[in-house]
Amino acid sequence: MSRADTRMKVFGAAVALIAEQGYSATTVDAIAERAGVAKGTVFYNFGSKEGLFGALLEHSIGKLAEALSEAAVGASALERLDAVVLGQLRFFEQYGPFARVLLAEMWRTAWQEAVAQLRARALGVYAEVLRQAADGGEVRADLDVETAATAIFGMVLTVSIERRVMHPDRPLEETHATLVELLHGRVR
């Protein structure tokens, strides 16, 4: 197995355990056991539990930002905004445990670098689309795009988790339609 494959197995085990029981309660022993690797393998690849979590956040935020960027297609900025919302819903549908980790764990002071990366890379996609919408007259010109980007991202994150836990049978498209209706009513 390649080092990259090993890292992905450890990431998968870590995010699942942290989502289930929280960062503090999750041990390197438990992560190694769930990943099917030796404890030393975790330390060899990441140095420490903190190093593992930092690398996990960096990797996952990168995947999220890539998914949002790829989703940002459409003829108008509002269509791109709607597509990014759907892209985020789909991402968290696929990576539900990461959504829970993101909401619960990453806002600690220790992870400020990851928060900055999230703001620049993932929320940056929302901010750019909103900036284009404001410049094109599709939304209010005085819209605070940075705050709006954070609010939209947070709303979609929370709704993704709630949908997964409380309404797993609700079609993703129905959730998306509700979110888009709310957004269009507020940003215009």
Side-chain angles (χ1 to χ4, degrees):
M1 179 182 317
S2 73
R3 185 167 187 207
D5 291 339
T6 299
R7 289 173 66 90
M8 291 301 105
K9 281 182 72 171
V10 172
F11 282 159
V15 77
L17 284 166
I18 294 167
E20 290 168 14
Q21 59 194 26
Y23 175 80
S24 296
T26 300
T27 65
V28 172
D29 287 329
I31 293 167
E33 183 179 325
R34 171 99 38 118
V37 300
K39 181 178 175 179
T41 300
V42 176
F43 287 114
Y44 172 76
N45 279 276
F46 302 103
S48 65
K49 178 180 161 182
E50 294 78 16
L52 165 59
F53 192 62
L56 170 66
L57 289 175
E58 182 178 325
H59 169 77
S60 299
I61 290 168
K63 287 180 66 112
L64 172 60
E66 183 179 309
L68 296 182
S69 292
E70 289 174 1
V73 295
S76 70
L78 277 182
E79 288 175 359
R80 289 190 295 280
L81 176 64
D82 297 351
V84 173
V85 169
L86 184 57
Q88 186 181 346
L89 285 168
R90 286 181 174 152
F91 183 87
F92 288 136
E93 178 73 10
Q94 184 175 356
Y95 301 104
F98 177 64
R100 291 194 309 276
V101 168
L102 193 61
L103 186 62
E105 300 292 342
M106 101 169 250
W107 302 102
R108 298 174 186 217
T109 306
W111 313 117
Q112 290 308 301
E113 187 175 314
V115 172
Q117 182 184 16
L118 177 71
R119 168 154 290 293
R121 297 186 67 198
L123 276 68
V125 175
Y126 275 113
E128 181 57 29
V129 170
L130 288 166
R131 205 171 284 111
Q132 292 167 1
D135 291 347
E138 293 180 71
V139 300
R140 299 186 341 249
D142 66 341
L143 182 69
D144 175 353
V145 297
E146 298 297 328
T147 300
T150 301
I152 294 167
F153 181 85
M155 176 180 68
V156 177
L157 172 62
T158 303
V159 168
S160 294
I161 294 168
E162 190 264 352
R163 178 183 165 273
R164 189 176 179 95
V165 172
M166 303 299 292
H167 309 286
D169 296 332
R170 180 178 292 154
L172 197 65
E173 295 74 20
E174 183 181 311
T175 301
H176 179 250
T178 301
L179 290 173
V180 165
E181 185 177 328
L182 287 170
L183 284 175
H184 287 212
R186 299 306 309 160
V187 298
R188 286 191 182 163

